[in-house]
Amino acid sequence: MSTFQAPKGTYDLIPPQSAVHLKVREAFAAPLKAAGYGYIETPAFEDVALFSRGVGESTDIVTKEMYVFETKGGTRLALRPEGTASTVRAVLEAGLHKAGNLPVKVWYSGSQYRYERPQKGRYRHFWQVGAEAVGAEDPALDAEMIIMADDAYKSLGLRQYRILLNSLGDKECRPAYRTALQEFLRGLDLDEETRRRIEINPLRVLDDKRAEVQKQLTGAPLMRDHLCEACKAYHEQVRELLTAAGVAFEDDDRLVRGLDYYTRTTFEFVHGGLGSQSAVGGGGRYDGLSEMIGGPALPSVGWALGVDRTVLALEAEGIELDLPAATQVYAVPLGDEARRRLFGLVTELRREGVATDFAFGGKGMKNAMKSANRSGARFALIAGERDLAEGVVQVKDLESGEQGPVALDAVVAELRARLA
Ligand code: ATP
Ligand code: MG
Protein backbone atom coordinates (compact mmCIF):
# COMPACT_ATOMS: atom_id res chain seq x y z
CA MET A 1 0.00 0.00 0.00
CA SER A 2 1.20 3.53 -0.66
CA THR A 3 1.29 6.34 1.86
CA PHE A 4 -1.79 7.80 0.25
CA GLN A 5 -5.45 6.86 0.25
CA ALA A 6 -8.42 8.10 -1.73
CA PRO A 7 -9.78 11.25 -0.02
CA LYS A 8 -12.56 10.84 2.55
CA GLY A 9 -15.94 10.23 0.98
CA THR A 10 -14.46 9.03 -2.32
CA TYR A 11 -13.62 5.62 -3.68
CA ASP A 12 -11.82 4.25 -6.68
CA LEU A 13 -13.61 2.49 -9.47
CA ILE A 14 -11.47 -0.52 -10.15
CA PRO A 15 -11.84 -3.64 -12.25
CA PRO A 16 -13.74 -5.87 -12.28
CA GLN A 17 -16.48 -3.88 -10.41
CA SER A 18 -15.89 -0.83 -12.60
CA ALA A 19 -17.45 -2.79 -15.48
CA VAL A 20 -20.76 -2.71 -13.60
CA HIS A 21 -20.59 1.10 -13.32
CA LEU A 22 -19.91 1.40 -17.03
CA LYS A 23 -22.81 -0.90 -17.80
CA VAL A 24 -25.15 1.18 -15.63
CA ARG A 25 -24.07 4.35 -17.41
CA GLU A 26 -24.75 2.65 -20.72
CA ALA A 27 -28.17 1.47 -19.56
CA PHE A 28 -29.05 5.05 -18.54
CA ALA A 29 -27.85 6.39 -21.89
CA ALA A 30 -29.67 3.87 -24.08
CA PRO A 31 -33.22 5.31 -23.83
CA LEU A 32 -31.80 8.83 -24.29
CA LYS A 33 -30.10 7.89 -27.54
CA ALA A 34 -33.38 6.37 -28.70
CA ALA A 35 -35.23 9.61 -27.99
CA GLY A 36 -33.12 12.21 -29.77
CA TYR A 37 -30.91 13.40 -26.91
CA GLY A 38 -27.41 14.55 -27.90
CA TYR A 39 -24.36 14.22 -25.66
CA ILE A 40 -23.07 17.29 -23.82
CA GLU A 41 -20.02 17.71 -21.61
CA THR A 42 -19.36 20.77 -19.50
CA PRO A 43 -16.37 21.64 -17.30
CA ALA A 44 -16.06 20.07 -13.86
CA PHE A 45 -15.96 23.58 -12.38
CA GLU A 46 -17.97 26.73 -13.01
CA ASP A 47 -18.34 30.26 -11.69
CA VAL A 48 -19.64 29.76 -8.16
CA ALA A 49 -22.46 32.24 -8.83
CA LEU A 50 -23.93 29.93 -11.48
CA PHE A 51 -24.79 27.46 -8.76
CA SER A 52 -25.75 29.91 -6.03
CA ARG A 53 -28.17 31.55 -8.44
CA GLY A 54 -29.14 28.49 -10.43
CA VAL A 55 -29.40 25.84 -7.73
CA GLY A 56 -30.51 28.29 -5.06
CA GLU A 57 -29.05 30.19 -2.09
CA SER A 58 -31.20 28.31 0.39
CA THR A 59 -30.37 24.79 -0.68
CA ASP A 60 -28.10 22.41 1.22
CA ILE A 61 -26.05 22.07 -1.93
CA VAL A 62 -25.15 25.75 -2.02
CA THR A 63 -25.00 26.51 1.69
CA LYS A 64 -23.09 23.42 2.85
CA GLU A 65 -22.01 21.08 0.13
CA MET A 66 -20.13 23.04 -2.52
CA TYR A 67 -16.38 22.80 -3.04
CA VAL A 68 -15.51 26.45 -3.60
CA PHE A 69 -12.04 27.70 -4.42
CA GLU A 70 -10.31 30.76 -5.73
CA THR A 71 -8.02 30.56 -8.75
CA LYS A 72 -4.62 32.22 -8.87
CA GLY A 73 -6.32 34.85 -11.01
CA GLY A 74 -8.82 35.58 -8.24
CA THR A 75 -11.91 33.98 -9.80
CA ARG A 76 -14.26 32.13 -7.45
CA LEU A 77 -15.10 28.73 -8.88
CA ALA A 78 -16.98 25.72 -7.58
CA LEU A 79 -16.65 22.06 -8.48
CA ARG A 80 -19.99 21.19 -10.03
CA PRO A 81 -22.41 19.73 -7.45
CA GLU A 82 -24.95 18.82 -10.14
CA GLY A 83 -25.35 19.05 -13.89
CA THR A 84 -28.47 21.04 -14.70
CA ALA A 85 -27.23 24.60 -14.13
CA SER A 86 -24.07 23.95 -16.16
CA THR A 87 -26.05 22.34 -18.96
CA VAL A 88 -28.48 25.24 -19.26
CA ARG A 89 -25.54 27.67 -19.10
CA ALA A 90 -23.86 25.80 -21.97
CA VAL A 91 -27.06 25.67 -24.05
CA LEU A 92 -27.54 29.42 -23.62
CA GLU A 93 -23.88 30.20 -24.31
CA ALA A 94 -23.90 28.20 -27.55
CA GLY A 95 -27.31 29.59 -28.50
CA LEU A 96 -28.67 26.08 -29.10
CA HIS A 97 -32.11 27.34 -28.12
CA LYS A 98 -32.04 29.79 -31.04
CA ALA A 99 -31.67 27.11 -33.70
CA GLY A 100 -35.44 26.90 -33.84
CA ASN A 101 -35.70 23.29 -32.84
CA LEU A 102 -37.09 23.26 -29.32
CA PRO A 103 -36.76 21.52 -27.01
CA VAL A 104 -32.99 21.27 -27.02
CA LYS A 105 -32.44 17.70 -25.83
CA VAL A 106 -29.11 16.85 -24.25
CA TRP A 107 -27.67 14.26 -21.90
CA TYR A 108 -24.50 14.10 -19.87
CA SER A 109 -22.51 11.60 -17.88
CA GLY A 110 -20.04 12.74 -15.27
CA SER A 111 -18.90 13.05 -11.71
CA GLN A 112 -20.37 15.52 -9.24
CA TYR A 113 -18.82 16.91 -6.08
CA ARG A 114 -20.58 17.57 -2.80
CA TYR A 115 -19.05 18.05 0.61
CA GLU A 116 -21.44 15.73 2.42
CA ARG A 117 -21.19 13.52 5.49
CA PRO A 118 -19.92 10.35 3.84
CA GLN A 119 -21.87 7.13 4.35
CA LYS A 120 -22.96 4.21 2.26
CA GLY A 121 -24.57 5.61 -0.90
CA ARG A 122 -23.53 9.18 -0.03
CA TYR A 123 -20.16 10.21 -1.35
CA ARG A 124 -18.27 13.43 -1.94
CA HIS A 125 -17.47 12.38 -5.46
CA PHE A 126 -20.18 10.46 -7.26
CA TRP A 127 -21.42 9.83 -10.76
CA GLN A 128 -24.63 10.91 -12.46
CA VAL A 129 -26.12 10.44 -15.88
CA GLY A 130 -28.46 13.31 -16.61
CA ALA A 131 -30.94 14.41 -19.25
CA GLU A 132 -32.33 17.86 -19.95
CA ALA A 133 -34.99 18.97 -22.42
CA VAL A 134 -34.71 22.73 -22.62
CA GLY A 135 -37.28 25.12 -24.04
CA ALA A 136 -40.62 23.33 -24.19
CA GLU A 137 -43.64 23.03 -22.00
CA ASP A 138 -45.52 19.86 -22.80
CA PRO A 139 -46.82 17.20 -20.42
CA ALA A 140 -45.62 14.57 -22.90
CA LEU A 141 -42.05 15.78 -22.39
CA ASP A 142 -42.35 15.36 -18.61
CA ALA A 143 -43.81 11.90 -19.21
CA GLU A 144 -41.00 11.07 -21.65
CA MET A 145 -38.42 11.82 -18.98
CA ILE A 146 -40.02 9.54 -16.42
CA ILE A 147 -40.61 6.76 -18.95
CA MET A 148 -36.95 6.87 -20.08
CA ALA A 149 -35.68 6.55 -16.51
CA ASP A 150 -38.16 3.77 -15.76
CA ASP A 151 -37.09 1.90 -18.92
CA ALA A 152 -33.43 2.29 -17.93
CA TYR A 153 -33.96 0.86 -14.45
CA LYS A 154 -36.09 -1.95 -15.85
CA SER A 155 -33.45 -2.82 -18.46
CA LEU A 156 -31.02 -3.38 -15.58
CA GLY A 157 -33.49 -5.81 -14.05
CA LEU A 158 -34.33 -3.63 -11.04
CA ARG A 159 -37.72 -4.29 -9.46
CA GLN A 160 -37.73 -2.88 -5.95
CA TYR A 161 -38.07 0.77 -6.77
CA ARG A 162 -40.98 3.17 -6.65
CA ILE A 163 -41.65 6.34 -8.60
CA LEU A 164 -42.88 9.24 -6.49
CA LEU A 165 -44.65 12.04 -8.33
CA ASN A 166 -45.82 15.50 -7.35
CA SER A 167 -46.53 18.93 -8.79
CA LEU A 168 -44.97 22.01 -7.21
CA GLY A 169 -47.18 24.48 -9.04
CA ASP A 170 -45.93 27.47 -10.98
CA LYS A 171 -45.56 31.22 -10.63
CA GLU A 172 -49.34 31.62 -10.70
CA CYS A 173 -50.21 29.37 -7.80
CA ARG A 174 -47.04 28.74 -5.83
CA PRO A 175 -46.79 32.21 -4.19
CA ALA A 176 -50.16 31.83 -2.44
CA TYR A 177 -49.30 28.33 -1.35
CA ARG A 178 -45.90 29.49 -0.13
CA THR A 179 -47.57 32.11 2.05
CA ALA A 180 -50.06 29.60 3.47
CA LEU A 181 -47.24 27.18 4.21
CA GLN A 182 -45.12 29.88 5.84
CA GLU A 183 -48.00 30.83 8.14
CA PHE A 184 -48.38 27.20 9.16
CA LEU A 185 -44.65 26.65 9.68
CA ARG A 186 -44.14 29.79 11.76
CA GLY A 187 -46.44 28.26 14.38
CA LEU A 188 -44.24 25.19 14.83
CA ASP A 189 -41.48 24.46 17.31
CA LEU A 190 -38.37 24.59 15.12
CA ASP A 191 -34.70 25.45 15.48
CA GLU A 192 -33.18 28.75 14.33
CA GLU A 193 -31.83 27.48 11.03
CA THR A 194 -35.13 25.93 10.04
CA ARG A 195 -36.97 29.11 11.04
CA ARG A 196 -34.70 31.02 8.68
CA ARG A 197 -35.45 28.50 5.96
CA ILE A 198 -39.19 29.17 6.40
CA GLU A 199 -38.57 32.72 5.23
CA ILE A 200 -36.28 31.87 2.30
CA ASN A 201 -37.62 28.57 0.98
CA PRO A 202 -40.45 27.13 3.07
CA LEU A 203 -41.06 24.20 0.71
CA ARG A 204 -37.69 22.82 1.68
CA VAL A 205 -38.90 22.42 5.26
CA LEU A 206 -41.30 19.74 4.01
CA ASP A 207 -38.20 17.84 2.83
CA ASP A 208 -36.63 17.83 6.31
CA LYS A 209 -35.62 14.26 7.11
CA ARG A 210 -35.73 14.62 10.93
CA ALA A 211 -38.54 12.75 12.69
CA GLU A 212 -39.21 15.57 15.20
CA VAL A 213 -39.83 17.91 12.26
CA GLN A 214 -41.84 15.44 10.18
CA LYS A 215 -44.10 14.79 13.19
CA GLN A 216 -45.13 18.44 13.27
CA LEU A 217 -45.85 18.57 9.56
CA THR A 218 -48.92 16.32 9.59
CA GLY A 219 -51.41 19.16 9.16
CA ALA A 220 -49.31 21.21 6.74
CA PRO A 221 -51.14 22.72 3.77
CA LEU A 222 -50.47 20.76 0.59
CA MET A 223 -49.58 22.11 -2.84
CA ARG A 224 -52.18 19.78 -4.32
CA ASP A 225 -54.96 21.83 -2.73
CA HIS A 226 -53.48 25.08 -4.05
CA LEU A 227 -52.69 24.20 -7.68
CA CYS A 228 -54.16 26.59 -10.26
CA GLU A 229 -56.34 25.16 -13.05
CA ALA A 230 -53.50 25.18 -15.57
CA CYS A 231 -51.14 23.29 -13.24
CA LYS A 232 -53.87 20.84 -12.29
CA ALA A 233 -54.67 20.06 -15.92
CA TYR A 234 -50.99 19.79 -16.80
CA HIS A 235 -50.30 17.39 -13.96
CA GLU A 236 -53.35 15.30 -14.82
CA GLN A 237 -52.04 14.89 -18.37
CA VAL A 238 -48.63 13.79 -17.16
CA ARG A 239 -50.31 11.20 -14.94
CA GLU A 240 -52.50 9.94 -17.78
CA LEU A 241 -49.56 9.60 -20.18
CA LEU A 242 -47.57 7.65 -17.60
CA THR A 243 -50.49 5.35 -16.93
CA ALA A 244 -50.97 4.78 -20.67
CA ALA A 245 -47.26 3.88 -20.94
CA GLY A 246 -47.66 1.30 -18.18
CA VAL A 247 -45.49 3.22 -15.71
CA ALA A 248 -46.53 2.65 -12.11
CA PHE A 249 -46.12 5.80 -9.98
CA GLU A 250 -47.31 7.02 -6.60
CA ASP A 251 -48.61 10.49 -5.86
CA ASP A 252 -46.52 12.01 -3.08
CA ASP A 253 -47.76 15.36 -1.76
CA ARG A 254 -44.62 15.85 0.29
CA LEU A 255 -42.11 15.42 -2.49
CA VAL A 256 -40.33 18.75 -2.96
CA ARG A 257 -36.70 17.83 -3.70
CA GLY A 258 -33.61 19.75 -2.74
CA LEU A 259 -33.15 22.24 -5.55
CA ASP A 260 -34.79 25.62 -5.77
CA TYR A 261 -35.46 25.68 -9.47
CA TYR A 262 -38.21 23.09 -9.71
CA THR A 263 -41.73 23.96 -10.85
CA ARG A 264 -44.72 21.75 -11.65
CA THR A 265 -43.72 18.11 -12.23
CA THR A 266 -41.24 16.68 -9.72
CA PHE A 267 -40.39 13.04 -9.32
CA GLU A 268 -38.02 10.75 -7.55
CA PHE A 269 -37.06 7.11 -8.00
CA VAL A 270 -36.58 5.48 -4.60
CA HIS A 271 -35.22 2.01 -4.00
CA GLY A 272 -36.30 -0.20 -1.13
CA GLY A 273 -32.94 -1.86 -0.51
CA LEU A 274 -30.76 1.16 0.23
CA GLY A 275 -31.71 2.31 3.73
CA SER A 276 -31.85 6.07 4.15
CA GLN A 277 -29.89 6.86 0.95
CA SER A 278 -32.88 5.57 -0.99
CA ALA A 279 -33.14 8.03 -3.90
CA VAL A 280 -31.54 6.49 -6.96
CA GLY A 281 -32.61 9.29 -9.27
CA GLY A 282 -34.80 12.32 -9.50
CA GLY A 283 -35.77 15.31 -11.48
CA GLY A 284 -38.54 17.54 -12.65
CA ARG A 285 -39.55 20.66 -14.44
CA TYR A 286 -37.56 23.84 -13.94
CA ASP A 287 -39.31 26.56 -15.91
CA GLY A 288 -37.56 29.45 -14.15
CA LEU A 289 -33.91 28.37 -14.23
CA SER A 290 -32.89 29.91 -17.55
CA GLU A 291 -34.13 33.34 -16.48
CA MET A 292 -32.46 32.97 -13.06
CA ILE A 293 -29.09 32.72 -14.79
CA GLY A 294 -29.73 35.55 -17.23
CA GLY A 295 -31.29 33.71 -20.18
CA PRO A 296 -34.70 34.02 -21.83
CA ALA A 297 -37.74 32.14 -20.56
CA LEU A 298 -37.11 28.51 -21.42
CA PRO A 299 -39.42 26.05 -19.70
CA SER A 300 -37.51 22.82 -19.25
CA VAL A 301 -37.54 19.41 -17.66
CA GLY A 302 -34.81 16.96 -16.72
CA TRP A 303 -33.47 14.30 -14.43
CA ALA A 304 -30.25 13.02 -12.93
CA LEU A 305 -29.79 9.36 -12.10
CA GLY A 306 -27.21 8.30 -9.54
CA VAL A 307 -24.84 5.65 -10.87
CA ASP A 308 -23.26 4.75 -7.50
CA ARG A 309 -26.57 4.16 -5.77
CA THR A 310 -27.93 2.23 -8.73
CA VAL A 311 -24.95 -0.13 -8.46
CA LEU A 312 -25.81 -0.55 -4.76
CA ALA A 313 -29.44 -1.21 -5.70
CA LEU A 314 -28.31 -3.96 -8.09
CA GLU A 315 -26.33 -5.52 -5.25
CA ALA A 316 -29.30 -5.20 -2.89
CA GLU A 317 -31.49 -7.08 -5.35
CA GLY A 318 -28.77 -9.65 -6.02
CA ILE A 319 -28.73 -8.79 -9.73
CA GLU A 320 -25.66 -9.87 -11.69
CA LEU A 321 -25.44 -8.00 -14.97
CA ASP A 322 -24.61 -9.90 -18.07
CA LEU A 323 -21.17 -8.45 -18.71
CA PRO A 324 -19.06 -9.38 -21.73
CA ALA A 325 -15.84 -11.16 -20.76
CA ALA A 326 -12.96 -8.69 -20.60
CA THR A 327 -10.75 -11.29 -22.26
CA GLN A 328 -11.96 -13.99 -24.65
CA VAL A 329 -8.63 -15.40 -25.80
CA TYR A 330 -5.31 -15.56 -23.95
CA ALA A 331 -2.09 -16.29 -25.79
CA VAL A 332 0.73 -18.29 -24.19
CA PRO A 333 4.00 -18.41 -26.19
CA LEU A 334 6.77 -20.87 -25.38
CA GLY A 335 10.05 -19.45 -26.63
CA ASP A 336 11.14 -16.35 -28.56
CA GLU A 337 9.97 -17.33 -32.02
CA ALA A 338 6.55 -18.25 -30.59
CA ARG A 339 6.38 -14.88 -28.84
CA ARG A 340 6.81 -13.07 -32.15
CA ARG A 341 4.29 -15.22 -34.01
CA LEU A 342 1.67 -15.25 -31.25
CA PHE A 343 1.95 -11.54 -30.63
CA GLY A 344 1.16 -11.05 -34.32
CA LEU A 345 -1.88 -13.29 -33.96
CA VAL A 346 -3.00 -11.38 -30.87
CA THR A 347 -2.96 -8.13 -32.82
CA GLU A 348 -4.87 -9.74 -35.66
CA LEU A 349 -7.51 -11.16 -33.31
CA ARG A 350 -7.98 -7.80 -31.64
CA ARG A 351 -8.42 -6.11 -35.00
CA GLU A 352 -11.09 -8.69 -35.76
CA GLY A 353 -12.93 -7.70 -32.59
CA VAL A 354 -11.89 -10.61 -30.37
CA ALA A 355 -10.81 -9.43 -26.89
CA THR A 356 -7.38 -10.98 -26.58
CA ASP A 357 -4.57 -10.80 -24.05
CA PHE A 358 -1.02 -12.08 -24.02
CA ALA A 359 1.32 -13.58 -21.43
CA PHE A 360 3.57 -10.55 -20.99
CA GLY A 361 6.73 -10.47 -18.99
CA GLY A 362 8.22 -13.76 -20.14
CA LYS A 363 6.18 -15.94 -17.76
CA GLY A 364 6.83 -19.67 -17.66
CA MET A 365 4.17 -22.06 -18.94
CA LYS A 366 2.64 -22.79 -15.53
CA ASN A 367 2.36 -19.14 -14.55
CA ALA A 368 1.08 -18.15 -17.97
CA MET A 369 -1.69 -20.76 -17.82
CA LYS A 370 -2.69 -19.48 -14.38
CA SER A 371 -2.96 -15.97 -15.84
CA ALA A 372 -4.99 -17.35 -18.74
CA ASN A 373 -7.46 -18.89 -16.30
CA ARG A 374 -7.63 -15.78 -14.13
CA SER A 375 -8.25 -13.59 -17.15
CA GLY A 376 -11.65 -15.22 -17.66
CA ALA A 377 -10.73 -16.10 -21.26
CA ARG A 378 -12.62 -18.94 -22.91
CA PHE A 379 -9.67 -20.09 -25.03
CA ALA A 380 -5.93 -20.21 -24.56
CA LEU A 381 -3.64 -20.13 -27.60
CA ILE A 382 -0.47 -22.05 -26.88
CA ALA A 383 2.48 -22.44 -29.23
CA GLY A 384 6.05 -23.69 -28.95
CA GLU A 385 8.81 -24.35 -31.50
CA ARG A 386 7.37 -27.71 -32.56
CA ASP A 387 3.87 -26.32 -33.16
CA LEU A 388 5.28 -23.53 -35.30
CA ALA A 389 7.37 -25.98 -37.30
CA GLU A 390 4.15 -27.84 -38.06
CA GLY A 391 2.35 -24.58 -38.90
CA VAL A 392 -0.17 -24.89 -36.03
CA VAL A 393 -1.05 -23.44 -32.63
CA GLN A 394 -2.75 -25.35 -29.83
CA VAL A 395 -6.23 -24.04 -29.00
CA LYS A 396 -7.29 -24.98 -25.49
CA ASP A 397 -10.91 -24.62 -24.36
CA LEU A 398 -10.44 -23.40 -20.79
CA GLU A 399 -13.96 -24.49 -19.82
CA SER A 400 -13.84 -28.11 -21.00
CA GLY A 401 -10.06 -28.52 -20.89
CA GLU A 402 -10.07 -29.91 -24.46
CA GLN A 403 -7.07 -29.00 -26.57
CA GLY A 404 -6.16 -29.49 -30.22
CA PRO A 405 -3.98 -28.06 -33.00
CA VAL A 406 -5.36 -25.51 -35.49
CA ALA A 407 -3.51 -24.29 -38.58
CA LEU A 408 -1.92 -20.87 -38.02
CA ASP A 409 -3.64 -19.31 -41.01
CA ALA A 410 -7.06 -20.67 -39.94
CA VAL A 411 -6.96 -19.88 -36.24
CA VAL A 412 -8.48 -16.38 -36.35
CA ALA A 413 -11.53 -17.59 -38.29
CA GLU A 414 -11.76 -20.70 -36.12
CA LEU A 415 -11.76 -18.71 -32.86
CA ARG A 416 -14.29 -16.22 -34.18
CA ALA A 417 -16.58 -19.06 -35.13
CA ARG A 418 -16.20 -20.84 -31.79
CA LEU A 419 -16.84 -17.61 -29.86
CA ALA A 420 -19.87 -16.60 -31.89
P1 ATP B 1 -30.44 13.01 -1.33
O1 ATP B 1 -31.77 13.49 -0.88
O2 ATP B 1 -30.23 11.55 -1.11
O3 ATP B 1 -29.32 13.84 -0.79
P2 ATP B 1 -30.50 14.63 -3.66
O4 ATP B 1 -31.89 15.11 -3.70
O5 ATP B 1 -29.46 15.54 -3.09
O6 ATP B 1 -30.42 13.20 -2.92
P3 ATP B 1 -30.17 14.97 -6.50
O7 ATP B 1 -29.47 16.25 -6.38
O8 ATP B 1 -31.56 14.94 -6.98
O9 ATP B 1 -30.06 14.16 -5.12
O10 ATP B 1 -29.29 13.99 -7.41
C1 ATP B 1 -29.87 12.95 -8.19
C2 ATP B 1 -29.33 11.60 -7.77
O11 ATP B 1 -27.94 11.63 -7.60
C3 ATP B 1 -29.85 11.11 -6.42
O12 ATP B 1 -31.11 10.53 -6.57
C4 ATP B 1 -28.80 10.12 -6.03
O13 ATP B 1 -29.01 8.86 -6.65
C5 ATP B 1 -27.54 10.72 -6.58
N1 ATP B 1 -26.80 11.40 -5.51
C6 ATP B 1 -27.03 12.63 -4.99
N2 ATP B 1 -26.13 12.93 -4.04
C7 ATP B 1 -25.29 11.85 -3.95
C8 ATP B 1 -24.14 11.54 -3.16
N3 ATP B 1 -23.64 12.40 -2.29
N4 ATP B 1 -23.54 10.32 -3.35
C9 ATP B 1 -24.03 9.44 -4.25
N5 ATP B 1 -25.09 9.69 -5.03
C10 ATP B 1 -25.73 10.87 -4.89
MG1 MG C 1 -28.55 15.69 -1.23
Side-chain angles (χ1 to χ4, degrees):
M1 209 173 84
S2 93
T3 330
F4 298 105
Q5 291 176 358
K8 186 174 175 196
T10 71
Y11 65 102
D12 301 305
L13 272 182
I14 46 180
Q17 297 90 334
S18 51
V20 178
H21 278 249
L22 287 179
K23 188 84 176 180
V24 168
R25 293 180 207 170
E26 280 170 26
F28 287 165
L32 297 164
K33 292 177 184 166
Y37 288 73
Y39 182 69
I40 190 168
E41 205 164 290
T42 61
F45 48 82
E46 297 270 355
D47 187 326
V48 66
L50 173 69
F51 300 117
S52 40
R53 265 200 264 160
V55 178
E57 298 280 7
S58 70
T59 60
D60 283 350
I61 289 183
V62 168
T63 54
K64 302 183 195 147
E65 298 172 2
M66 262 200 307
Y67 282 90
V68 179
F69 62 99
E70 198 171 300
T71 67
K72 293 194 200 321
T75 312
R76 277 185 27 104
L77 299 174
L79 296 184
R80 62 179 177 214
E82 56 104 51
T84 304
S86 314
T87 301
V88 174
R89 195 265 310 136
V91 166
L92 293 172
E93 188 170 333
L96 297 184
H97 60 297
K98 292 183 188 152
N101 195 19
L102 295 177
V104 177
K105 286 175 157 191
V106 286
W107 72 279
Y108 61 83
S109 175
S111 45
Q112 312 295 343
Y113 310 84
R114 296 185 193 176
Y115 190 75
E116 304 215 55
R117 196 163 69 76
Q119 46 202 299
K120 189 167 187 197
R122 189 175 296 287
Y123 309 107
R124 291 180 172 177
H125 170 273
F126 60 99
W127 201 275
Q128 289 180 335
V129 172
E132 317 289 352
V134 178
E137 188 184 272
D138 185 334
L141 200 54
D142 303 40
E144 170 175 297
M145 279 287 164
I146 297 171
I147 293 166
M148 290 191 302
D150 188 46
D151 284 350
Y153 288 123
K154 280 205 185 104
S155 77
L156 289 166
L158 288 169
R159 291 282 169 274
Q160 294 164 28
Y161 66 88
R162 299 180 299 144
I163 303 172
L164 309 179
L165 183 69
N166 194 19
S167 173
L168 294 181
D170 65 2
K171 58 180 187 298
E172 296 306 317
C173 53
R174 187 126 64 130
Y177 170 65
R178 191 174 183 274
T179 307
L181 182 63
Q182 278 174 325
E183 272 162 25
F184 172 86
L185 293 174
R186 284 185 195 122
L188 302 184
D189 177 23
L190 298 165
D191 59 279
E192 261 319 296
E193 194 192 335
T194 313
R195 300 198 74 83
R196 263 198 306 278
R197 181 169 281 167
I198 296 173
E199 306 311 320
I200 315 168
N201 189 349
L203 268 76
R204 289 277 291 112
V205 181
L206 295 179
D207 199 25
D208 201 309
K209 303 275 187 318
R210 292 170 298 177
E212 69 269 25
V213 177
Q214 279 302 325
K215 205 170 57 204
Q216 298 187 67
L217 294 173
T218 351
L222 296 172
M223 187 68 235
R224 180 185 52 192
D225 302 320
H226 289 76
L227 289 178
C228 60
E229 286 311 314
C231 282
K232 236 186 254 174
Y234 192 96
H235 196 57
E236 204 36 56
Q237 283 188 60
V238 175
R239 297 176 77 262
E240 277 167 19
L241 289 163
L242 289 176
T243 304
V247 174
F249 59 89
E250 296 169 29
D251 295 306
D252 181 353
D253 291 323
R254 288 287 175 79
L255 182 70
V256 294
R257 310 200 11 84
L259 288 68
D260 270 0
Y261 50 56
Y262 285 110
T263 50
R264 288 197 171 168
T265 314
T266 32
F267 53 86
E268 201 157 82
F269 286 71
V270 293
H271 192 273
L274 297 184
S276 51
Q277 271 61 251
S278 63
V280 288
R285 183 156 276 285
Y286 50 92
D287 293 342
L289 175 60
S290 170
E291 286 161 291
M292 281 183 212
I293 61 170
L298 285 171
S300 309
V301 62
W303 51 234
L305 310 183
V307 177
D308 311 76
R309 286 188 197 170
T310 301
V311 171
L312 293 175
L314 289 168
E315 284 168 17
E317 288 200 38
I319 297 170
E320 297 234 2
L321 297 180
D322 191 15
L323 297 169
T327 306
Q328 296 170 291
V329 173
Y330 194 98
V332 178
L334 307 170
D336 281 344
E337 175 58 12
R339 266 177 84 68
R340 270 190 296 278
R341 293 299 292 272
L342 274 196
F343 190 69
L345 263 184
V346 164
T347 305
E348 216 182 309
L349 280 162
R350 290 173 177 169
R351 288 179 177 153
E352 291 291 320
V354 178
T356 308
D357 208 350
F358 185 72
F360 290 102
K363 289 187 232 253
M365 173 74 171
K366 200 170 150 206
N367 239 335
M369 287 311 291
K370 253 191 215 160
S371 298
N373 279 307
R374 281 202 204 107
S375 77
R378 176 67 195 271
F379 296 104
L381 276 186
I382 309 155
E385 308 296 317
R386 211 171 57 204
D387 299 304
L388 295 178
E390 289 167 15
V392 300
V393 288
Q394 301 294 326
V395 174
K396 180 170 185 181
D397 185 328
L398 294 172
E399 254 172 42
S400 67
E402 271 168 53
Q403 180 176 324
V406 176
L408 268 169
D409 54 6
V411 73
V412 172
E414 172 75 21
L415 283 170
R416 286 193 59 183
R418 289 213 218 164
L419 284 163

